[in-house]
């Protein structure tokens, strides 16, 4: 059974950098046809794709966030991470880490429980 | 990238069928058969219901089905049950090698 767990601070000050890590257990992050990504959901709103990464390090980002986002992977720890720079109140959301499957489509087949980010000074 | 377009809400009575539409463009739904659908209950993470336009993951009821025509995909739920009441999101792969979601549809089972 695959399990994804987000970790990181729940409170970040405006203009600072959000750093989150997702630890994967029950499966290898180096498996083929699988990407690992971040998706967020502001309170009461819809889902927004942030970006995703292959175990080789190839990363893809939402064009609207690309200038502020970096996603990295550490295969030795079976983890991947998100950095979002210059956060504002608009970045307040539940952040989910996820597994994206590229077999017969491109879809999220496993989600973390989500972690709530508050942006406040 | 612009979000896919879904109706804000739909409703139906137990036992009935409903369909949720998801409209994209020739840069996403129109060019790939990579549409997926997710169910989200309040306070929970989304759950995959359909992938590759019309495929159901193991464990998902066959009351859920998906289709696509041109730039529009659809999710149909037949034999509505009270536990189907949730938010539903569509998504598609895009020509910029990213994923785009719809704005979400709230399903109310009356």
């Amino acid at each position: 059974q695959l399990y994804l767990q987000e970790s990181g601070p729940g409170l970040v000050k405006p203009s600072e950098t959000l750093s989150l890590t997702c630890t994967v257990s029950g499966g290898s992050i180096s498996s083929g046809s699988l990407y690992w990504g971040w998706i967020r959901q502001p309170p009461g709103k819809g889902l927004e794709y942030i970006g995703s990464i292959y175990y080789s390090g190839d990363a893809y980002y939402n064009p609207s966030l690309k200038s502020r986002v970096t996603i990295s992977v550490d295969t030795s720890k079976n983890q991947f991470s998100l950095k979002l720079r210059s956060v504002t109140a608009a970045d307040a959301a539940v952040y989910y880490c996820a597994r994206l499957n590229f077999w017969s489509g491109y879809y999220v087949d496993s989600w973390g429980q989500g972690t709530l980010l508050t942006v406040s000074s | 990238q612009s979000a896919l377009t879904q109706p804000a809400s739909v409703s139906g009575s137990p036992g009935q069928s409903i369909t949720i539409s998801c409209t994209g463009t020739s840069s996403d739904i129109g060019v790939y058969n990579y549409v997926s659908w997710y169910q989200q209950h309040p306070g929970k993470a989304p759950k995959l219901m359909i992938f590759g336009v019309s495929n159901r993951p193991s464990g998902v009821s066959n009351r859920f089905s998906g289709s696509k025509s041109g730039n529009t995909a659809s999710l149909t739920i037949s034999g509505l049950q009270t536990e189907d009441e949730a938010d539903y999101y569509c998504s598609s792969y895009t020509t910029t090698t990213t994923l785009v979601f719809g704005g979400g549809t709230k399903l109310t089972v009356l």
Side-chain angles (χ1 to χ4, degrees):
Chain A
Q1 178 76 5
L2 189 75
Y3 188 68
L4 294 87
Q5 178 67 61
E6 305 91 351
S7 59
L11 176 64
V12 175
K13 292 182 171 62
S15 80
E16 294 191 341
T17 295
L18 166 68
S19 294
L20 294 176
T21 295
C22 184
T23 301
V24 179
S25 56
S28 173
I29 206 167
S30 301
S31 299
S33 297
L34 297 175
Y35 287 71
W36 306 90
W38 294 93
I39 293 158
R40 69 181 184 179
Q41 184 171 36
K45 296 188 178 181
L47 301 168
E48 181 180 34
Y49 168 86
I50 299 172
S52 54
I53 192 165
Y54 196 55
Y55 74 91
S56 63
D58 291 337
Y60 305 90
Y61 302 114
N62 184 328
S64 68
L65 297 170
K66 187 174 183 177
S67 64
R68 298 193 292 131
V69 173
T70 300
I71 296 176
S72 58
V73 63
D74 186 337
T75 55
S76 67
K77 295 181 179 179
N78 230 33
Q79 294 177 334
F80 60 102
S81 299
L82 168 71
K83 288 191 185 299
L84 177 64
R85 296 175 290 277
S86 304
V87 300
T88 69
D91 295 311
V94 174
Y95 283 73
Y96 294 100
C97 63
R99 186 177 80 172
L100 292 86
N101 199 320
F102 221 141
W103 181 82
S104 290
Y106 189 63
Y107 48 92
V108 179
D109 65 0
S110 189
W111 301 73
Q113 65 182 21
T115 185
L116 177 64
L117 171 68
T118 300
V119 180
S120 175
S121 55
Chain B
Q1 59 193 26
S2 299
L4 306 175
T5 301
Q6 297 181 234
S9 63
V10 298
S11 62
S13 300
Q16 288 185 332
S17 294
I18 63 96
T19 296
I20 300 171
S21 62
C22 172
T23 300
T25 69
S26 56
S27 295
D28 38 66
I29 293 177
V31 72
Y32 297 108
N33 288 324
Y34 287 1
V35 177
S36 52
W37 290 89
Y38 305 87
Q39 176 192 66
Q40 186 180 35
H41 287 109
K44 301 294 187 181
K47 174 187 175 183
L48 177 67
M49 305 302 285
I50 296 285
F51 67 93
V53 175
S54 59
N55 299 292
R56 278 187 310 276
S58 175
V60 172
S61 171
N62 60 9
R63 297 186 298 105
F64 292 82
S65 62
S67 62
K68 189 191 93 166
S69 177
N71 294 341
T72 299
S74 298
L75 173 72
T76 297
I77 309 174
S78 59
L80 269 179
Q81 299 180 1
T82 54
E83 58 261 36
D84 298 333
E85 186 164 292
D87 293 326
Y88 290 84
Y89 295 90
C90 60
S91 75
S92 176
Y93 187 61
T94 78
T95 53
T96 56
T97 64
T98 60
L99 197 64
V100 63
F101 286 96
T105 298
K106 182 177 180 60
L107 169 62
T108 301
V109 180
L110 304 169

